[in-house]
Amino acid sequence: MLSTYSYPTFPYVPAPEQRTGTVRRHPVVVVGAGPVGLTAALDLAQKGVPVVVLDEDDTVSIGSRAVCYAKRALEVWDRLGVARPMIDKGVVWKIGKVFHGDREVYRFDLLPEPDHKIPAFINLQQYYLEEYLIAAATGTGAADIRWKSRVLSVKPQDDHVVLQVETPDGVYAMEADWVIACDGARSSIRKMLGLEFIGEVFQDRFLIADVVMKADFPAERWFWFDPPFHPRQSTLLHMQADNVWRIDFQLGWNADPEEEKKPEKVIPRLKAMLGETTEFELEWVSVYTFQCRRLERFRHGRVLFAGDSAHQVSPFGARGANSGVPDADNLVWKLKLVLDGLAPDSLLDTYSDERVAAAKENLLNSTRSTDFITPKSAMSRTFRDAVLGLAADHPFARALVNSGRLSTPTTYTDSPLNTPDTGSFAGAMVPGAPATDAPVEDAAHDAGWLMDHLGGRFVALYYAGPDPVPAAVADSMTALVAGPLPFAWHVVTDRRRDAGANALVDVNGRFAERYDATPGTVYLVRPDQHIAARLRAFDVAALTAALNRAAGL
Amino acid sequence: MSRLVIDNRLSRPDDFYEALIDTHRDLTPEQSAMVNARLVLLLANHIGDMEVLAEAMRRAREGV
């Protein structure tokens, strides 16, 4: 098979503590150097927490795997300064089309409004993504990625965890204050702790082929039900970087996975789809089945599960990596506050609460999509085919066509960290929601984005509109900045002149519109860019209470 | 004159679809067909408008 990518080999370096035979205590050990583990490690390292990452391999993801990365995951990576190469290398897209037979029955636009820094989606082979994350994490100097290091055992103690790690030089022990298990759907840490991973197995098989070709398909997600080239089954097409195309063929439960992977089986399927004259080369082929299941809780004492080790979804909707990265985003700031003694460790229970709620939402959507694509009964198939048959001429039926509801971020509606509204607000920026973007200019008149100023610490946004900022507001904010919790504030203003050093100019009114802001409105945004509270009028006592609440105090 | 609405009126289409499929859970094909027939009759009575029902019946049969 052709290869557009040369896999790097990361050097195995014996750990100093293995050489000397001393058992060291590390604040955080991350198990698994996939997208989720690397994101957690990068975030921790940037916050000044020394982190050890253990990975049993010594290279990046084999095959393109996750491919589709959604706006929210990219916003997390942008906060960490690593999204730019991903977006530059990846294929940006936002349109999805659904075909029944050879007829388009439905299309969707995942980001119909302008004025967002980050696109709706990119497609990028997972190996590139991991390569960029590894470079960024290593560049911090605070992330110690140990390749060829397999965890053999994990023993939770009252105030730490003991790990046995196997390397080419043998076995050594280490201790960790906290372990983040990002070791994937087959998580060995989960098995070692004897935790149940409960859910549904779907009786279907899918063939994934990565094909290198020059093709005229646009940068869109195309999904076919019952196409002429693959009757009775579905097919999915995505463009990736380097002229590589991802094609998924539904095969049915009775297909033989080993047989179906053989080029002599795969190539005729591709020729039927692409035509006899299209020149292509196979790069990677895999056959997968899928499951929808999760852990009941993601925190088990000092072991925290994130990504596929905590929840596994079917691929339709791109909700795997795109929910794992927000796990890391949600966890790391809380862990940092706990490590610094600024919040009680019960704050980490809210990691589980919030991300279990997100996992439920993702599992519900991914299960429904799978039930539509792989109907479980004859009647379910009849309804599915009826919906598809009506969809072209009946708009209502298009709303029922489900080829995957693509990943959107979860609003933590019921989180105990939210301060319930006392004022009346319209729009989507409810407590618990991920902050939405708006174009702003900073004090130096540099055009930028609101999201560039949120995250990493608590941020209060005081919307002044056309008015000056009252001195009492500035004084109170300054006092909060001097307080123990990491906190910053910005004035959002319409005034281009004399706006002040921390001003963000709402250049085209998008902030006021998207946040339903009127002069005096205050938003408190968490370090993971989710809304913690909003006030119609500045009130230092209310803002301070909201800040403490959001920190689990 | 009443007309059959073919634009979407379901505020949560995926919730409806899941409930519809769940209605048939664990039924034999004969039982499912009976459930569908009863469902059509119940909804037809609720609609009550013969013009609308005639158009729905025509559209349902078209192309099958």
Side-chain angles (χ1 to χ4, degrees):
Chain A
M1 286 194 205
L2 191 78
S3 187
T4 58
Y5 182 76
S6 344
Y7 286 87
T9 303
F10 301 109
Y12 159 71
V13 180
E17 62 212 85
Q18 182 169 17
R19 280 205 303 267
T20 60
T22 44
V23 178
R24 274 190 62 195
R25 173 79 66 93
H26 302 275
V28 184
V29 171
V30 172
V31 183
V36 180
L38 289 167
T39 301
L42 176 60
D43 202 356
L44 284 161
Q46 287 187 356
K47 288 182 163 70
V49 178
V51 54
V52 174
V53 182
L54 302 173
D55 194 276
E56 57 189 23
D57 210 345
D58 62 354
T59 187
V60 290
S61 148
I62 302 298
S64 60
R65 294 174 67 185
V67 176
C68 302
Y69 298 99
K71 185 170 191 289
R72 182 60 206 150
L74 291 166
E75 284 174 345
V76 174
W77 288 321
D78 197 43
R79 175 173 69 72
L80 300 172
V82 75
R84 185 43 53 196
M86 299 172 182
I87 295 169
D88 288 349
K89 180 72 186 176
V91 173
V92 172
W93 66 277
K94 64 172 194 161
I95 302 290
K97 288 181 183 162
V98 180
F99 301 86
H100 182 215
D102 52 10
R103 197 169 170 196
E104 181 185 325
V105 292
Y106 177 59
R107 70 166 70 190
F108 51 83
D109 181 340
L110 296 167
L111 189 56
E113 61 175 34
D115 291 335
H116 289 261
K117 178 180 183 183
I118 299 295
F121 261 92
I122 65 162
N123 291 345
L124 180 65
Q125 293 91 317
Q126 188 170 328
Y127 37 77
Y128 282 118
L129 184 109
E130 291 183 4
E131 196 185 303
Y132 303 149
L133 286 168
I134 290 163
T138 307
T140 62
D144 174 6
I145 308 179
R146 299 184 183 180
W147 305 103
K148 291 276 177 204
S149 298
R150 191 155 67 97
V151 176
L152 290 184
S153 75
V154 50
K155 291 206 169 58
Q157 311 291 313
D158 281 348
D159 64 345
H160 68 285
V161 180
V162 179
L163 300 144
Q164 298 283 331
V165 183
E166 183 184 53
T167 73
D169 289 322
V171 177
Y172 70 103
M174 61 161 70
E175 295 177 356
D177 290 333
W178 300 93
V179 170
I180 309 179
C182 306
D183 54 342
R186 294 187 196 88
S187 170
S188 51
I189 305 283
R190 194 181 63 223
K191 285 173 198 149
M192 288 170 199
L193 295 184
L195 301 172
E196 284 194 298
F197 202 44
I198 294 173
E200 262 182 278
V201 180
F202 290 90
Q203 299 207 322
D204 205 345
R205 293 183 204 279
F206 285 76
L207 171 75
I208 304 179
D210 270 2
V211 174
V212 186
M213 64 175 174
K214 295 244 194 285
D216 296 329
F217 296 107
E220 297 173 344
R221 177 190 194 262
W222 283 18
F223 192 102
W224 289 263
F225 289 100
D226 192 19
F229 53 83
H230 191 48
R232 296 284 292 161
Q233 305 281 21
S234 67
T235 304
L236 175 61
L237 173 72
H238 274 291
M239 186 198 285
Q240 306 179 69
D242 304 334
N243 295 315
V244 177
W245 297 76
R246 159 68 70 80
I247 304 171
D248 285 35
F249 291 104
Q250 185 180 26
L251 298 176
W253 186 236
N254 295 325
D256 176 342
E258 289 314 309
E259 199 58 30
E260 291 292 344
K261 268 189 263 189
K262 293 180 177 163
E264 60 265 35
K265 285 285 283 187
V266 178
I267 287 169
R269 292 195 190 285
L270 288 164
K271 284 199 163 164
M273 176 180 182
L274 303 168
E276 286 294 327
T277 57
T278 302
E279 287 183 36
F280 65 84
E281 299 239 29
L282 276 180
E283 178 156 282
W284 178 63
V285 174
S286 179
V287 172
Y288 64 90
T289 57
F290 45 78
Q291 310 189 1
C292 287
R293 51 188 185 160
R294 69 174 174 90
L295 284 172
E296 193 185 345
R297 287 177 296 119
F298 298 170
R299 179 186 178 196
H300 290 267
R302 288 183 167 252
V303 181
L304 300 141
F305 289 85
D308 284 359
S309 70
H311 44 77
Q312 190 182 4
V313 294
S314 77
F316 304 103
R319 287 169 182 268
N322 287 314
S323 62
V325 170
D327 287 349
D329 183 39
N330 188 296
L331 174 58
V332 167
W333 68 270
K334 295 174 179 174
L335 191 52
K336 167 72 174 158
L337 289 182
V338 172
L339 284 164
D340 289 348
L342 295 171
D345 79 36
S346 57
L347 181 59
L348 296 170
D349 293 330
T350 71
Y351 161 69
S352 181
D353 296 342
E354 292 181 345
R355 294 311 299 169
V356 164
K360 284 183 181 169
E361 187 177 303
N362 288 313
L363 283 161
L364 177 69
N365 278 289
S366 122
T367 302
R368 285 173 170 177
S369 301
T370 309
D371 281 338
F372 196 88
I373 293 162
T374 302
K376 283 207 202 71
S377 67
M379 186 48 66
S380 184
R381 178 173 281 274
T382 301
F383 274 119
R384 197 278 300 270
D385 292 345
V387 165
L388 290 170
L390 289 169
D393 298 323
H394 299 78
F396 87 91
R398 286 169 219 161
L400 297 169
V401 173
N402 192 340
S403 73
R405 301 283 182 234
L406 282 123
S407 173
T408 50
T410 297
T411 294
Y412 306 133
T413 311
D414 299 320
S415 173
L417 305 184
N418 296 343
T419 296
D421 284 338
T422 48
S424 160
F425 284 88
M429 290 300 97
V430 300
T436 196
D437 210 355
V440 294
E441 260 176 32
D442 63 16
H445 298 292
D446 286 332
W449 299 94
L450 177 66
M451 293 301 273
D452 294 338
H453 302 277
L454 302 178
R457 64 236 187 291
F458 292 98
V459 176
L461 299 169
Y462 177 84
Y463 181 73
D467 302 332
V469 181
V473 170
D475 290 348
S476 301
M477 293 289 199
T478 306
L480 285 171
V481 171
L485 291 169
F487 177 87
W489 75 294
H490 288 283
V491 175
V492 182
T493 176
D494 297 343
R495 299 177 157 209
R496 279 201 146 79
R497 288 166 183 280
D498 310 321
N502 69 340
L504 301 174
V505 179
D506 185 16
V507 285
N508 61 358
R510 290 285 186 216
F511 177 86
E513 172 196 322
R514 291 179 182 167
Y515 286 77
D516 185 27
T518 50
T521 295
V522 182
Y523 274 83
L524 177 65
V525 185
R526 310 186 336 182
D528 59 6
Q529 300 173 325
H530 280 251
I531 307 296
R534 52 185 179 174
L535 307 170
R536 262 298 167 220
F538 185 79
D539 172 346
V540 65
L543 181 61
T544 307
L547 178 62
N548 287 332
R549 188 185 177 102
L553 296 169
Chain B
M1 186 182 100
S2 321
R3 282 191 54 87
L4 180 73
V5 178
I6 59 169
D7 285 327
N8 181 39
R9 297 180 61 188
L10 299 163
S11 60
R12 298 167 70 95
D14 289 351
D15 287 5
F16 158 71
Y17 194 79
E18 185 180 9
L20 177 65
I21 301 304
D22 274 352
T23 306
H24 289 270
R25 188 175 294 265
D26 302 326
L27 299 184
T28 64
E30 293 73 22
Q31 288 170 324
S32 263
M34 180 55 74
V35 166
N36 277 341
R38 292 164 66 130
L39 192 57
V40 168
L41 294 170
L42 287 163
L43 294 174
N45 178 60
H46 183 81
I47 292 160
D49 182 324
M50 191 55 209
E51 267 182 78
V52 170
L53 291 168
E55 188 182 346
M57 288 187 276
R58 180 184 62 74
R59 282 177 181 268
R61 198 180 160 95
E62 213 171 64
V64 169

